[in-house]
Structures are given as structure tokens and as C-alpha cells.
Amino acid sequence: MKLKQRVVLLAILLVIFIFTKVFLIDNLDTSAANREDQRAFHRMMASLHVELDPRLDHTLQSPWEIAAQWVVPREVYPEETPELGAVMHAMTTKKIVKADVGYKGTQLKALLILEGGQKVVFKPKRYARDYVVEGEPYAGYDRHNAEVAAFHLDRILGFRRAPLVVGRFVNLRTEIKPVATEQLLGTFMTVGNNTCFYGKCYYCRETEPACADGDIMEGSVTLWLPDVWPLQKHRHPWGRTYREGKLARWEYDESYCDAVKKTSPYDSGPRLLDIIDTAIFDYLIGNADRHHYESFQDDEGASMLILLDNAKSFGNPALDERSILAPLYQCCIIRVSTWNRLNYLKNGVLKSALKTAMSHDPISPVLSDPHLDALDQRLLSILATVKQCTDQFGPDVVLVEDRMTLSHL
């Protein structure tokens, strides 16, 4: 065989090899990943309903020790959590041994210590379920039920980045006041026949207390993350200015994402994809108030974006604030696993799944039907946004494998 013919033959074999690698092997890998995503979805659906049961079989550990061991850099709790019901039961029933004003912030909350030394954050009920918060998408008081709903949505989406939350009724007179610090106790008052408190925070006012129904106050409790995982606060690159007439750069610069991609920690690693996951999460719940976010300290960008403080959500079911999706429609990338999960949840599955997940909660029903209906409508908007991206740039650019870093972008 002449040299020229051998070269041509080698070139043909090389093309065949590349074709096999790109179109066959990679497609097999993708199919395997898609099948695993589908299996994970079915596992999630099978474990949606969590019974609040105090029993902890096959362990001598406390619920608090179990929950602390769940936390790792990329998730707050694992996919399979047979002890979840016991931990949440403890959160809603364990004796309160100390009550203090909440950690610094803008909204009313209390820091409780439960029997066994576990810290939880208590957010009181401020609105009836059918109350509609008018005005800006970040207006109004924190909604305690929004924290409960957001936690279960985090489970359903498969992110597992939100701390555990459960509803709880507390007797302010017998459970809180006897163990309250002087600082918290000084904010208690009686309005009519109801016990109230206004706490200490940036917007806390004596004229705007949270009031119980008599002595019994409905609220949510959020499990404090273990102290061995200190948090680091970051300014959200798509944060708002909160100043009338002054826009943030992302609100007028359509190429803003290109600048973000050149800035640490968004230039490589998982953080930018976490930002986009969070935008999808926040759009679904109607949270336009994530001006900062937390990760674990000293993580060099490898930690998850932790989904803390979700109470400025589920305010107005008729308001779909599209600007919350700016990271998605400006960057036009999304994790394959997130894309798959969103598709599994369409056609009413999301509403049904969230309703089932929340049905066990002590403050159930957690959300009114209009808010549940809004979730399904917002999901369609997210899917349409991703389709616009794939139509413009192609699925190979938009759909990013979970294991892939972003240094190539």
C-alpha cells in the first residue's frame, strides 16, 4: 500500500474513532446520567411524605448529632434520610431551655436553644395564609410558612442546600418568657388578650409586634447549622440596589454575565451554576430579596451556596418577578440534573409533590392554593427561558454536566 493511501486510511480511522468517542461513548455517558437523574427523582417522590416520629432505630445518637453529621460541603442533608422525621419531630417538640433575640438582621426572629443544646431560629406568624403582600417583590414582613415551603421545595428539586425547617406552636407565656433573656423579655407586651413581642432587629418596632392567638404563637423553626461549619457571607452578583431610580449593572447590561464569569469564585468551579440553581429556586418561590448569600468558609469556591433566609417568599401569587431569573437568561447555562428535574416536575407534578411534602407539618396547610398554582405557572416560564437559550446557543452550550468546571467558559 502506498504511503499516500496509508495516510488516508489512518485519517479515516481517526475520524471514525473521534465519531465513536463523541457521539457514541459520550451519548452513553449522557444516557446513564439521565437514567440516574430519573432514578433519583423517583426516590425523592417515594420519600416525600415525612412522618414526624420520635423513634430513632439502630442508633444511640441524638437527633441533633445525626443532623450535624449530615452536613458536608455540597449538601446540608443527604438524599436518603430515614431519620428526617425524628429530627423534625425533635425540632417541633423538644423543650425550649433558652430564648434570646435573633441574630443580627432586618426581620423579627428569636434564637431558641432546645433541650440537648440545639439552636433553632424561630420566625413568628405575621400574616394569614390568604394574605397578599402588595408592592415591591421584597415588601412585607418575613413569612414563617415560606420557610417551611422553601425547605420542602429544596428537597423536591434535589438541591439539599436549605437547612431543615418545620412549623411549631409555642406558648409565649409558659415556654418562652420563663427562659427568655432580659433583652428579649423587654420586648414583650400585651395587646388586647394576646401576648406579643417585637424583638431586636433593624426593622423591629414596638409599634409593630408579632402577636400570638392568646398565648399560643404559630411559627417556624430552622435548624442551626453546626458550629464546625462557619459561614462566609458574599454579596450576590445579581443583588438589587434597593434605591429608587438607581439600577444595578445587571439590570441594564445584557453582557453582565460575561464580566461575572471573569471574577472569582464564578470563573471556575460550581458557584456560578449554584447561582443559577438559586435563581430558579427563588423565582419559583417569589423571593427577590437575596442580596447576599452564604457559603462555608475557606472553601475556595467549592462549597455550595446555602439556601438560608427564604422567608421573603410566597407573598403575592399573582406576581411573577422575571428579573429574579436574570442569572439564567443572561448566562444561558443550567445544570443537566436541574434541567432534568424541572422537566420531571411539569404537568402539575410540582404542585402535587410540594402539597404532599408539606402535609405532615404541624402548621399544615402551609400554603394557600393560589401559591401552589403559581409554582406550576412559574415552572413553565423557567422551561420556556431555557428553551430560548437552547434555540439561540444550542443545548451543548446551555446544558452543563454537573461534574464540569466552568473554566472553559
Side-chain angles (χ1 to χ4, degrees):
M1 186 180 293
K2 295 180 180 179
L3 178 62
K4 186 176 180 180
Q5 291 174 320
R6 286 199 294 268
V7 170
V8 171
L9 180 61
L10 286 172
I12 292 172
L13 290 173
L14 182 61
V15 169
I16 293 172
F17 172 78
I18 294 172
F19 177 89
T20 303
K21 170 68 173 68
V22 173
F23 294 97
L24 297 183
I25 297 176
D26 285 0
N27 283 346
L28 285 173
D29 288 346
T30 302
S31 297
N34 288 342
R35 286 195 298 271
E36 177 51 37
D37 286 345
Q38 194 167 39
R39 285 193 292 268
F41 173 72
H42 290 309
R43 288 195 296 269
M44 179 277 297
M45 291 293 286
S47 61
L48 269 182
H49 189 84
V50 180
E51 295 285 350
L52 270 64
D53 188 332
R55 289 175 298 179
L56 275 173
D57 298 328
H58 313 302
T59 180
L60 297 176
Q61 292 180 304
S62 73
W64 315 137
E65 291 171 327
I66 291 170
Q69 291 175 356
W70 284 343
V71 182
V72 293
R74 291 297 305 169
E75 61 183 21
V76 175
Y77 53 93
E79 180 184 15
E80 297 184 16
T81 51
E83 306 92 351
L84 182 60
V87 175
M88 297 178 76
H89 181 272
M91 290 170 64
T92 199
T93 60
K94 285 288 187 183
K95 182 180 178 181
I96 299 165
V97 298
K98 184 178 179 182
D100 199 356
V101 295
Y103 56 92
K104 63 181 180 179
T106 62
Q107 299 289 313
L108 173 60
K109 61 184 77 71
L111 181 62
L112 308 181
I113 299 180
L114 305 183
E115 186 178 13
Q118 178 64 51
K119 296 178 186 175
V120 295
V121 177
F122 178 81
K123 294 190 177 182
K125 176 182 178 180
R126 305 297 295 250
Y127 300 113
R129 294 292 191 273
D130 58 355
Y131 184 88
V132 175
V133 180
E134 303 285 357
E136 298 291 341
Y138 44 82
Y141 300 119
D142 273 0
R143 277 78 77 178
H144 72 296
N145 57 318
E147 290 281 14
V148 175
F151 163 66
H152 289 290
L153 180 63
D154 175 67
R155 292 175 59 213
I156 290 166
L157 292 174
F159 293 161
R160 300 190 290 279
R161 300 171 205 157
L164 275 60
V165 185
V166 67
R168 178 165 180 164
F169 291 94
V170 297
N171 187 311
L172 295 182
R173 181 177 57 83
T174 63
E175 291 186 272
I176 300 294
K177 292 181 74 173
V179 296
T181 61
E182 289 186 10
Q183 195 174 20
L184 178 61
L185 201 56
T187 74
F188 273 78
M189 59 174 62
T190 301
V191 178
N193 294 321
N194 302 320
T195 303
C196 310
F197 77 102
Y198 58 91
K200 297 279 187 181
C201 70
Y202 187 81
Y203 290 125
C204 290
R205 303 285 186 273
E206 187 174 352
T207 55
E208 300 179 26
C211 291
D213 182 4
D215 291 323
I216 306 301
M217 175 170 276
E218 177 184 319
S220 66
V221 286
T222 301
L223 196 69
W224 195 270
L225 290 170
D227 292 337
V228 295
W229 293 97
L231 301 181
Q232 182 175 350
K233 194 169 188 176
H234 309 265
R235 183 176 294 279
H236 196 299
W238 276 268
R240 301 171 189 276
T241 65
Y242 296 92
R243 282 187 259 172
E244 189 175 352
K246 183 174 177 59
L247 297 177
R249 179 179 168 184
W250 63 266
E251 294 180 278
Y252 61 82
D253 182 359
E254 285 301 314
S255 63
Y256 176 70
C257 184
D258 293 333
V260 174
K261 289 177 182 177
K262 297 173 184 176
T263 306
S264 178
Y266 311 108
D267 55 347
S268 64
R271 188 64 57 80
L272 182 57
L273 289 168
D274 282 1
I275 288 279
I276 289 162
D277 280 349
T278 303
I280 290 167
F281 177 80
D282 283 339
Y283 181 72
L284 286 170
I285 64 179
N287 178 20
D289 196 44
R290 204 175 294 280
H291 43 81
H292 290 79
Y293 69 85
E294 285 81 14
S295 70
F296 293 130
Q297 280 185 6
D298 303 321
D299 66 332
E300 298 181 352
S303 160
M304 64 185 154
L305 189 164
I306 304 166
L307 297 173
L308 283 172
D309 291 333
N310 302 307
K312 279 294 184 72
S313 310
F314 297 106
N316 187 343
L319 177 62
D320 296 339
E321 182 56 48
R322 180 166 168 76
S323 65
I324 300 172
L325 282 179
L328 175 62
Y329 60 70
Q330 289 182 353
C331 297
C332 267
I333 54 173
I334 183 174
R335 283 188 170 101
V336 171
S337 62
T338 301
W339 172 244
N340 287 340
R341 182 60 60 97
L342 293 174
N343 277 283
Y344 299 147
L345 290 167
K346 61 188 180 183
N347 299 322
V349 176
L350 176 57
K351 171 184 174 179
S352 175
L354 186 57
K355 197 169 184 177
T356 298
M358 300 186 300
S359 63
H360 74 282
D361 197 273
I363 65 168
S364 181
V366 177
L367 294 177
S368 64
D369 284 338
H371 283 298
L372 291 167
D373 293 335
L375 281 164
D376 281 341
Q377 288 301 119
R378 291 168 186 164
L379 175 58
L380 293 178
S381 297
I382 295 167
L383 296 174
T385 299
V386 177
K387 186 177 186 305
Q388 289 173 352
C389 288
T390 55
D391 287 347
Q392 183 176 357
F393 300 107
D396 290 343
V397 172
V398 176
L399 305 180
V400 181
E401 290 292 341
D402 295 48
R403 63 182 180 275
M404 191 180 294
T405 62
L406 295 181
S407 58
H408 65 294
L409 293 174

